[in-house]
Amino acid sequence: MAISSIFDGGELRRQFHSAGISPNFIPFIWKYVVQNPNCDWDDITSLPSAAYPLLRSHFKPSTSSLHTVIDSSDNVTTKLLIKLQNGSFVEAVIMRYDTRLGKYGGKPRPGGPRSTLCISSQVGCKMGCKFCATGSMGFKSNLSSGEIVEQLVHASHFSQIRNVVFMGMGEPLNNYSALVEAIHIMQGSPFQLSPKKITVSTVGIIHAINKLQSDLPNLNLAVSLHAPVQDIRCQIMPAARAFPLEKLMDTLRTYQTNSGQKIFIEYIMLDEVNDEEQHAHQLGKLLETFQVVVNLIPFNPIGNLSYFKTSSEQKVARFQKILRGTYNIRTTVRKQMGQDISGACGQLVVNQPDKRSTGSAGLLTDIEDLHL
């Protein structure tokens, strides 16, 4: 039987319960492992004697290892290639921002430098989105809750992570149980991430969205909409056939009514596919009764796999102007980060670079603070 990650919280609690060990020791163990990633279990003092043989036989401080670290030329983005114990690889991306560079309501934002971690939930993905490199891999396997949390542990040794976005490899809501458990762990000691600092992105898995508000209240929901009508959505996102746009919007309306929170709408800009003025008006009419933030995402090329071209800056600006001016919808344009290391949106696909690039450091505005 495979050894579990110490961050597989459900399994750890079950084992402790069977052995009569208090679960109150679990946050203490996690904190020690985060601070001492190469520790042996005997290094942790003050545990009940029954805990040591249990930990040695069933758990590892980490079941994954950091295979490669590669920085963008400006040092703003760092991509982590992580090897799992089954030999598969996943990628996570650290993005560094400065909230003081953005504005909200016409006024400078408070705060300072912070880092956001983009996390993977699966090896590969079964959604098959034609603009996404991960979709070209097909679906390989789900990650355990521990393998999800270990990405945060690895990243924390490079930067203090303030925000987590589930926008890496995989469809998070297709790995629902592990996702929920991992986020619960991230919200507790020693990570203490506020749910408002965690964003889960989905293509629109309706039955899972219906459960999300009760299982994970107060987190941010981002929906990969990418088209204002069903036929275009199906052309670029084959999985959308299973989630009709009308039913998806009804589900989002119920979610918003119950949660009272804004929903983030992700919209990739594909030249001559979904970026014309008529598409902006269709999207505005679709969303005008919702409380949303639309994030326009310039398409990032994915080599020979690409069917698409990137929309011009002029088209993106016109699209944004229509949504903001005609429909009063808050609309941002995502800053392109990590393209040179294939760490940008839609570019995550497992490869194994053999070097670490370097460059001058700098900070960018948070993706939600741009062009406001």
Side-chain angles (χ1 to χ4, degrees):
M1 184 180 70
I3 300 294
S4 297
S5 166
I6 194 63
F7 296 101
D8 279 320
E11 179 63 19
L12 182 58
R13 284 188 293 271
R14 284 189 289 272
Q15 292 285 350
F16 270 30
H17 178 76
S18 297
I21 302 171
S22 171
N24 294 335
F25 289 103
I26 292 176
F28 173 74
I29 295 172
W30 285 343
K31 182 177 180 180
Y32 190 93
V33 170
V34 171
Q35 295 174 343
N36 305 275
N38 298 315
C39 69
D40 293 322
W41 294 129
D42 290 338
D43 297 337
I44 307 177
T45 59
S46 304
L47 295 180
S49 58
Y52 295 99
L54 187 153
L55 291 173
R56 283 192 293 268
S57 60
H58 293 283
F59 297 96
K60 290 181 181 179
S62 181
T63 57
S64 63
S65 59
L66 204 51
H67 183 273
T68 306
V69 179
I70 182 167
D71 295 321
S72 60
S73 58
D74 57 10
N75 258 12
V76 169
T77 305
T78 300
K79 184 165 71 171
L80 310 179
L81 181 64
I82 298 168
K83 186 176 183 179
L84 309 179
Q85 67 175 342
N86 67 0
S88 298
F89 290 86
V90 293
E91 294 180 333
V93 180
I94 302 169
M95 300 166 288
R96 299 172 182 87
Y97 304 101
D98 191 336
T99 57
R100 295 168 297 187
L101 300 178
K103 291 184 177 182
Y104 184 68
K107 298 180 180 179
R109 286 180 177 270
R114 70 185 188 188
S115 294
T116 292
L117 177 65
C118 180
I119 279 183
S120 294
S121 56
Q122 297 177 312
V123 181
C125 183
K126 64 177 65 172
M127 296 295 99
C129 297
K130 294 182 179 180
F131 49 80
C132 179
T134 306
S136 70
M137 293 175 59
F139 173 71
K140 307 298 183 183
S141 63
N142 284 323
L143 300 187
S144 71
S145 59
E147 289 170 331
I148 294 173
V149 175
E150 284 179 15
Q151 295 172 67
L152 175 57
V153 176
H154 289 305
S156 68
H157 299 138
F158 293 88
S159 188
Q160 183 176 355
I161 303 300
R162 178 179 167 183
N163 302 297
V164 167
V165 294
F166 284 83
M167 299 182 181
M169 298 169 64
E171 163 54 57
L173 297 191
N174 270 350
N175 189 13
Y176 190 83
S177 296
L179 172 77
V180 170
E181 184 173 282
I183 291 177
H184 283 154
I185 293 170
M186 292 175 183
Q187 291 175 347
S189 179
F191 303 104
Q192 301 289 2
L193 285 176
S194 164
K196 295 180 180 180
K197 302 298 183 183
I198 299 173
T199 301
V200 173
S201 175
T202 177
V203 300
I205 312 297
I206 290 174
H207 65 273
I209 294 173
N210 286 331
K211 299 188 293 182
L212 201 59
Q213 167 59 22
S214 58
D215 290 337
L216 293 169
N218 300 318
L219 61 67
N220 297 308
L221 175 65
V223 178
S224 296
L225 198 62
H226 301 316
V229 292
Q230 179 70 0
D231 61 340
I232 299 177
R233 214 167 174 255
C234 291
Q235 290 172 25
I236 62 177
M237 304 169 66
R241 294 184 180 91
F243 311 106
L245 187 57
E246 183 177 353
K247 290 185 178 180
L248 174 59
M249 301 312 294
D250 288 342
T251 299
L252 294 180
R253 189 176 305 281
T254 300
Y255 178 90
Q256 184 155 80
T257 299
N258 293 337
S259 68
Q261 293 177 264
K262 288 184 179 179
I263 297 172
F264 292 89
I265 301 295
E266 297 170 302
Y267 194 97
I268 195 162
M269 298 293 289
L270 303 173
D271 188 46
E272 298 184 353
V273 176
N274 64 351
D275 66 344
E276 306 296 341
E277 291 187 16
Q278 65 174 3
H279 300 131
H281 285 290
Q282 288 171 332
L283 184 62
K285 291 173 183 176
L286 184 69
L287 299 175
E288 62 183 346
T289 60
F290 288 82
Q291 293 296 314
V292 297
V293 177
V294 175
N295 191 205
L296 303 178
I297 307 169
F299 170 65
N300 293 303
I302 49 177
N304 294 331
L305 298 172
S306 179
Y307 298 92
F308 306 108
K309 294 185 294 183
T310 304
S311 300
S312 67
E313 291 184 6
Q314 292 79 10
K315 273 193 171 182
V316 174
R318 178 60 181 162
F319 204 99
Q320 181 189 35
K321 184 177 181 180
I322 291 172
L323 291 178
R324 294 178 64 182
T326 304
Y327 299 96
N328 196 30
I329 295 174
R330 184 181 169 199
T331 308
T332 66
V333 179
R334 181 171 297 181
K335 179 71 176 180
Q336 292 175 299
M337 300 176 66
Q339 270 194 321
D340 58 329
I341 57 171
S342 295
C345 180
Q347 289 187 315
L348 296 190
V349 62
V350 168
N351 51 53
Q352 298 179 28
D354 57 4
K355 63 180 181 179
R356 178 168 178 161
S357 62
T358 58
S360 58
L363 290 169
L364 296 174
T365 332
D366 193 317
I367 57 174
E368 295 169 14
D369 298 337
L370 297 167
H371 301 279
L372 301 183

